[in-house]
Amino acid sequence: MIAKVIVDISSSEIDKIFDYLVPDGMDLHEGDRVLVPFGRKETEGFCIGLSDVTDVDRSKLKSVSSRLDPFTCIGKNMLALMDFMRRKFYLRYVDCLRLFIPGRMRGGRVKELKRLYLSLIDGAEQAIAAIPARAKRQRELAEKLRDGGEYLSVVAGEFGASTINALIDAGIAQKTDKPVYRKPYSDIAADDKKVKLTAEQSAAVDKIFGTDKTVTLLYGVTGSGKTEVYMQAIERTIAAGKTAIMLVPEISLTPQTLRNFRARFSDRVALLHSGLGQGERYDEWRRILTGEADIVIGARSAIFAPLSNVGLIVMDEEHDGSYVSESNPRYNTVDVAEFRARYDGGKLVLGSATPSIDSFEAAQEGRYELATMSHRISEHGMPPIEIVDMSREVLGGNAGIFSGRLAEELRRTIERGDQAMLFINRRGHSSFAMCRKCGYVPKCEDCDVSLTYHSVENALVCHYCGKKYRMITRCPVCGCDSIKYGKTGTQRVVQELQKTYPGVGILRMDNESTTTKDAYLDILGAFKAHEAQILVGTQMIAKGHDFPDVTLVGILDADMSLYFSDYRSCERTFQLVTQVAGRAGRASKTGKVLLQTYSPGHYVYKFASRYDYPGFFAKENNTRKVTGFPPYSTIVRVLMSGRDEEDVIECARGIYRELRAYQLAHESSFLFMRAMRAPIARIEQHYRYQILMRVTRESEDAVLGAVYPLLDAYKTRGVSVFAQINPQSLS
Ligand code: ADP
Ligand code: ZN
C-alpha cells in the first residue's frame, strides 16, 4: 500500500504530494498525521490518500515511520473540503491543513493534561467500617469519595494530607492519573430559560428543515429571537444523531451566545476560537473527536471543526465582514459552510437583521430559502429612531459633540436610573490633526495615510503600520501654531461626559480598552451590573448584547462610514445604524435612539429610521444592478506590493498584459479592467499597485482560472502578489 503524504505542514511551502510505503501491520487511514523520513531527518506529514499505484520506482520508496496522535487526524469530509478549497480559493494543501489543524497541535507539542485523582478501592467496605470512631475526618472523606472520587487537589484543600494518606495506607483509597479537560470560559454559566417558540419562530424552524434548499436566510429584526431559533434547530439536529456548528462573528464579543448555549446544552458544546490557549484548544478538539461534544460554537475558523455528519451550520450576523478571511489563507466562510452542509446532507442557516445585499438577492432569486421574522419578542416593538441634524446645531452655536436633544435625553435617562449606550465610529481621541490655516494633515512616512491622534501618549499613530510620531504643535508647512484635532474619539466623548455629568459612572469599550480576552467580559459585566450608567464604544458595542435597562442609544457620528469610497458604504451604514439601534429597549422598557448626522436627508437614514430593510434593499439592489456592482458582477482585485517600486510596476505590467489578452478573447466576461496605483499607495514602505476588474458572475470561475496561475508566474522574491474577490475594502 502507498501513502500519499503532504510533508512538514508546519513550515514547508512545498505544495507536493510524496509517496511512502505503508509498512505491514500499520493501521493507517486517510487523514492521519504521520512521521516520515524526509531528506536526512524525520518530519511530520499528513496522509491525504492511500493507493495501490505510484509513479515512483517502488524500490526507492521509503516507509512511513509511525502514526501520530490520533486526536490530530482529520476525516474524509475534511479531505473533500480540502479539494474544494484548493479549486475554489486556489489554496495549497499546507494552507488547508494548517486551517484544519490549528497551531501547536501540529508537531505534538500539546499534551493531554493529567492530574492526580483520589478514589475508593473496590471492596474497601470492611476497611471503611473499621475506621476508628475518633478519626472522623477520615470517615467523612471516605463518604465523599463514594460517588466516583475527586481530584486530589480538591480534597487536599479540604481534608489535608494526613487524612488522605491515612486512607491510602489503610488500603481504602488510591491515587491515579486522570485526564482533565481545560475548559475555556468555565466561569460563564447561566440558567436555561427554555421558552415556547412564537409562531414566527416555529415557522422559521420548520422552514429550515422543510425546504429542499440547503441554505435558508433567516431575516429577523433585532430582538425577534433568532438565537432561540438557532438553539431549537440545533436541538432537533442532535436529537437526530447529527452534529452542529454555530458561528458568530467574534466569540469574545458575544459571551451571551456562549452563556445561552452552555445553559441549554452543557458539556455537549465545544468552543473553538483563536483566543483559546493551546491546551484548551486541544482538549476541546479531543472532546469533539470522541463525540463527547457534538455542538461547536466559535468564530470564523470554527467552520473547520473536526465534526462528521454535520446536520446544521448556523452563521449568525451573516452580513459581518469578519466571515471573509482577507489575509493568507484567503477564503470565504459561507462557501466553506455551504460545501460542508451539502457534503453531509445538512442545512445552512444564515441569520441577520440586516442581510447582506448579496444574500437577500440570492433569496429573491430562489437560490436560498427565505424565513422572515418581523416582530420583536418584547411588546414594545422597535425603538423609535430620531434623526438629529448636526449642521443646524453648528449654525445654532453648538459646536460640541452632543446635540441639544441628545444632552437632554441623556440627562433624563440618568435621572430615571436607566442606562445609555453611546456609539462612535472610531477609536482614539481625535482622528486626525490638521492645520487650521493651510489645511496640512500629517501623514505616515511609510503608508501615505493620515495619522491618528492618541491623547494618552499625546502622539500621532499610523493605524496601518502602528508607527508613532510626536504630536505637532506647529504646522511644518506654513509655521502656524493653530492645530485642530479632527473628529471625535471615544476618549474625548468620555471626557466631555465626565464634565457634563459629574459623578455618573462611565465605561469605555474600544480596541484599546479591550486588549485582553477577558477585558470585553469585564466591561460588559460591569455595565450589566450597573456599575456605570453610560457605555461609550465603537463598533464592538453594536454586536449582540442584551442589556435590559438600556433605554437610550446615541449614534454620535453616523456619517463616518457613509463616505468611504466603497460600493458597500451605504449597506454598511444601514447595518450599523440598525444593529446599534437594536440595543435599545430590548426587555420590558421602551427605548429611544438618537442619530446625529450632517446628512439628515440621506436615503440610508430614511430607511434605517423606519426599520425598512426591504425598502432599503430594493433601492440599493437597483443601484447595484444599474452600475454593475456585486451581486451583479464579481470584483476581482490583483494586488501587488514590494519595496522596489520599479519591480512592482514591472510585475503589474506583466500580469496586465496577459490579462488584457485574455480580456480581448473573452470580451463579454468583462465589465471593467484597469491597472493603477492602489488608493493607499504605500504601507510599511511597500509600494502597492492593483489591477481592478469587474467580471460577470457567470464567468467568475473562468476568469479566476486565468488569474491564479499568473500570480504564481509573476511573483518574485521582492514582490508579493495576491487576488481578492469582492474585497471588504478597496484601500
Ligand atoms: P435577536 O438575536 O433576534 O436579536 P434574541 O435572540 O437576542 O434576538 O432574543 C431577544 C430576547 O427575547 C432574548 O432575551 C430572548 O431570551 C427572548 N426570547 C426569544 N424567544 C422567546 C420566546 N419564544 N418567548 C419569550 N422570550 C423569548
Ligand atoms: Zn504607517
Side-chain angles (χ1 to χ4, degrees):
M1 189 73 86
I2 307 293
K4 308 282 174 187
V5 176
I6 304 294
V7 294
D8 197 14
I9 68 162
S10 297
S11 56
S12 167
E13 300 300 312
I14 311 168
D15 199 38
K16 190 168 178 295
I17 298 172
F18 294 90
D19 287 2
Y20 287 90
L21 291 168
V22 181
D24 287 340
M26 182 184 283
D27 183 25
L28 192 69
H29 307 268
E30 287 178 343
D32 282 350
R33 208 159 59 90
V34 291
L35 212 56
V36 290
F38 192 71
R40 250 172 292 155
K41 56 182 176 89
E42 293 213 306
T43 185
E44 183 198 317
F46 241 93
C47 170
I48 62 155
L50 293 167
S51 165
D52 291 326
V53 291
T54 174
D55 301 334
V56 191
D57 179 357
R58 270 174 192 262
S59 65
K60 295 222 173 88
L61 285 183
K62 293 177 183 163
S63 295
V64 174
S65 313
S66 61
R67 234 185 112 197
L68 294 169
D69 184 355
F71 288 120
T72 51
C73 65
I74 54 172
K76 254 207 163 72
N77 56 345
M78 299 309 279
L79 292 172
L81 177 62
M82 180 159 73
D83 249 13
F84 169 77
M85 293 180 72
R86 281 172 55 79
R87 274 183 286 115
K88 178 86 189 168
F89 309 117
Y90 205 67
L91 297 181
R92 298 165 306 180
Y93 289 111
V94 288
D95 295 324
C96 299
L97 290 169
R98 281 174 204 161
L99 284 171
F100 297 175
I101 313 260
R104 263 180 266 155
M105 279 178 48
R106 305 182 298 255
R109 271 157 291 185
V110 188
K111 293 268 159 28
E112 265 189 340
L113 183 66
K114 287 188 171 161
R115 291 212 329 242
L116 286 174
Y117 197 79
L118 193 67
S119 55
L120 292 183
I121 293 170
D122 281 344
E125 284 311 318
Q126 261 189 327
I128 293 176
I131 295 174
R134 61 188 153 73
K136 239 170 73 189
R137 295 294 283 162
Q138 288 183 36
R139 189 170 296 277
E140 280 169 24
L141 177 55
E143 288 307 320
K144 192 183 174 84
L145 296 178
R146 269 191 199 282
D147 32 289
E150 184 52 272
Y151 284 104
L152 191 64
S153 57
V154 177
V155 280
E158 198 178 334
F159 291 91
S162 63
T163 308
I164 292 167
N165 287 333
L167 282 196
I168 293 171
D169 292 344
I172 293 172
Q174 64 185 351
K175 281 194 245 180
T176 48
D177 271 336
K178 187 174 169 155
V180 279
Y181 289 135
R182 289 148 283 200
K183 188 172 165 189
Y185 296 112
S186 45
D187 51 335
I188 287 186
D191 293 334
D192 188 17
K193 38 169 185 172
K194 189 159 177 189
V195 295
K196 197 173 162 331
L197 292 187
T198 64
E200 274 190 333
Q201 285 173 319
S202 55
V205 176
D206 289 344
K207 216 164 200 179
I208 292 164
F209 294 106
T211 177
D212 53 3
K213 290 172 186 146
T214 299
V215 188
T216 297
L217 175 63
L218 175 61
Y219 159 50
V221 299
T222 54
S224 60
K226 291 187 286 298
T227 311
E228 195 58 43
V229 170
Y230 304 150
M231 289 204 288
Q232 302 225 6
I234 288 172
E235 218 169 314
R236 220 195 256 199
T237 305
I238 57 173
K242 298 180 174 188
T243 63
I245 302 176
M246 169 81 210
L247 300 181
V248 292
E250 165 61 79
I251 185 82
S252 43
L253 295 190
T254 51
Q256 201 147 344
T257 313
L258 184 57
R259 197 173 284 132
N260 290 337
F261 273 69
R262 278 263 170 80
R264 179 80 45 97
F265 302 110
S266 62
D267 284 343
R268 297 184 78 159
V269 181
L271 177 69
L272 288 181
H273 82 100
S274 52
L276 299 186
Q278 295 295 340
E280 287 177 330
R281 200 194 281 235
Y282 179 83
D283 289 350
E284 290 293 77
W285 187 273
R286 212 160 39 127
R287 293 201 309 119
I288 296 166
L289 281 178
T290 56
E292 233 176 285
D294 46 13
I295 303 165
V296 172
I297 132 164
R300 181 173 78 204
S301 61
I303 193 59
F304 303 113
L307 289 166
S308 50
N309 198 9
V310 179
L312 182 73
I313 300 173
V314 176
M315 286 173 69
D316 190 24
E317 312 282 357
E318 65 91 27
H319 60 274
D320 199 284
S322 68
Y323 284 123
V324 181
S325 165
E326 293 222 294
S327 56
N328 202 17
R330 286 164 231 282
Y331 63 90
N332 195 348
T333 309
V334 71
D335 294 328
V336 177
E338 191 171 343
F339 179 89
R340 288 201 73 170
R342 275 187 202 287
Y343 186 89
D344 283 339
K347 298 290 185 183
L348 170 61
V349 175
L350 307 177
S352 178
T354 53
S356 70
I357 299 289
D358 296 15
S359 297
F360 207 75
E361 172 56 21
Q364 303 283 307
E365 280 175 23
R367 279 190 292 128
Y368 293 172
E369 185 63 59
L370 180 66
T372 305
M373 301 201 297
S374 41
H375 297 96
R376 265 198 158 183
I377 299 282
S378 128
E379 73 240 53
H380 298 291
M382 307 302 290
I385 300 182
E386 184 181 323
I387 297 174
V388 181
D389 182 352
M390 288 307 276
S391 43
R392 292 249 295 268
E393 295 283 323
V394 175
L395 286 178
N398 174 12
I401 304 170
F402 308 112
S403 59
R405 280 290 294 131
L406 183 55
E408 180 191 331
E409 288 297 337
L410 264 175
R411 185 179 48 75
R412 284 195 195 156
T413 306
I414 291 166
E415 282 168 9
R416 274 199 310 269
D418 287 344
Q419 292 181 301
M421 287 170 99
L422 295 180
F423 172 80
I424 182 151
N425 225 338
R426 83 189 69 68
R427 59 181 192 156
H429 181 281
S430 301
S431 76
F432 57 90
M434 187 175 88
C435 169
R436 282 182 208 272
K437 211 164 145 205
C438 76
Y440 166 83
V441 173
K443 289 185 168 186
C444 176
E445 287 166 4
D446 296 335
C447 303
D448 199 26
V449 294
S450 317
L451 297 171
T452 301
Y453 177 67
H454 285 221
S455 71
V456 174
E457 307 132 294
N458 189 32
L460 294 164
V461 181
C462 172
H463 277 189
Y464 273 84
C465 73
K467 198 162 174 172
K468 281 189 189 135
Y469 298 80
R470 281 235 305 275
M471 177 57 192
I472 52 167
T473 48
R474 188 171 288 277
C475 173
V477 176
C478 73
C480 144
D481 61 1
S482 173
I483 304 294
K484 168 183 177 324
Y485 311 113
K487 294 274 166 62
T488 324
T490 43
Q491 294 176 26
R492 216 182 115 206
V493 173
V494 170
Q495 284 166 11
E496 292 281 316
L497 286 170
Q498 281 163 342
K499 257 188 267 164
T500 322
Y501 310 99
V504 172
I506 301 162
L507 285 163
R508 177 168 76 99
M509 178 141 141
D510 56 22
N511 280 328
E512 286 147 33
S513 62
T514 53
T515 45
T516 66
K517 156 174 125 179
D518 297 325
Y520 297 112
L521 299 183
D522 292 346
I523 296 173
L524 295 175
F527 192 56
K528 193 148 198 160
H530 276 254
E531 282 170 36
Q533 272 188 288
I534 306 175
L535 175 63
V536 179
T538 56
Q539 263 80 344
M540 290 177 188
I541 64 171
K543 294 186 182 179
H545 309 296
D546 216 354
F547 298 107
D549 293 323
V550 170
T551 54
L552 176 66
V553 166
I555 305 173
L556 298 182
D557 55 348
D559 304 339
M560 257 316 284
S561 55
L562 200 54
Y563 296 112
F564 282 156
S565 53
D566 176 349
Y567 73 95
R568 267 187 287 229
S569 301
C570 290
E571 183 180 348
R572 292 265 162 69
T573 308
F574 184 91
Q575 287 162 352
L576 207 60
V577 171
T578 310
Q579 298 289 336
V580 178
R583 301 305 118 212
R586 287 175 72 86
S588 54
K589 298 179 173 177
T590 29
K592 184 176 279 182
V593 181
L594 292 185
L595 186 158
Q596 302 191 155
T597 170
Y598 287 91
S599 313
H602 199 288
Y603 73 88
V604 167
Y605 299 138
K606 287 221 170 103
F607 286 117
S609 64
R610 283 188 238 130
Y611 295 99
D612 184 3
Y613 176 80
F616 171 73
F617 170 81
K619 173 147 178 72
E620 189 65 19
N621 190 46
N622 190 51
T623 309
R624 303 277 181 92
K625 199 184 244 167
V626 172
T627 53
F629 273 93
Y632 298 94
S633 69
T634 301
I635 297 180
V636 180
R637 172 160 89 149
V638 178
L639 197 67
M640 290 135 289
S641 70
R643 275 173 187 272
D644 186 318
E645 190 167 15
E646 284 308 310
D647 288 352
V648 180
I649 293 173
E650 187 69 18
C651 170
R653 280 214 184 99
I655 295 179
Y656 182 76
R657 245 193 326 267
E658 301 217 24
L659 281 177
R660 182 75 187 137
Y662 181 89
Q663 184 190 19
L664 291 174
H666 302 84
E667 225 30 286
S668 64
S669 303
F670 284 78
L671 304 172
F672 175 90
M673 179 162 101
R674 245 185 85 195
M676 65 193 108
R677 219 185 251 275
I680 297 177
R682 219 156 38 113
I683 291 182
E684 292 184 26
Q685 296 181 19
H686 285 66
Y687 292 89
R688 305 167 84 233
Y689 281 77
Q690 63 182 19
I691 300 171
L692 207 53
M693 289 163 263
R694 263 182 291 144
V695 303
T696 62
R697 234 169 54 189
E698 302 72 49
S699 62
E700 174 187 323
D701 287 343
V703 172
L704 285 168
V707 168
Y708 282 134
L710 292 176
L711 309 182
D712 282 340
Y714 281 88
K715 83 165 136 238
T716 56
R717 220 163 234 300
V719 183
S720 75
V721 187
F722 60 86
Q724 296 175 315
I725 299 145
N726 295 335
Q728 295 296 306
S729 129
L730 281 176
S731 50

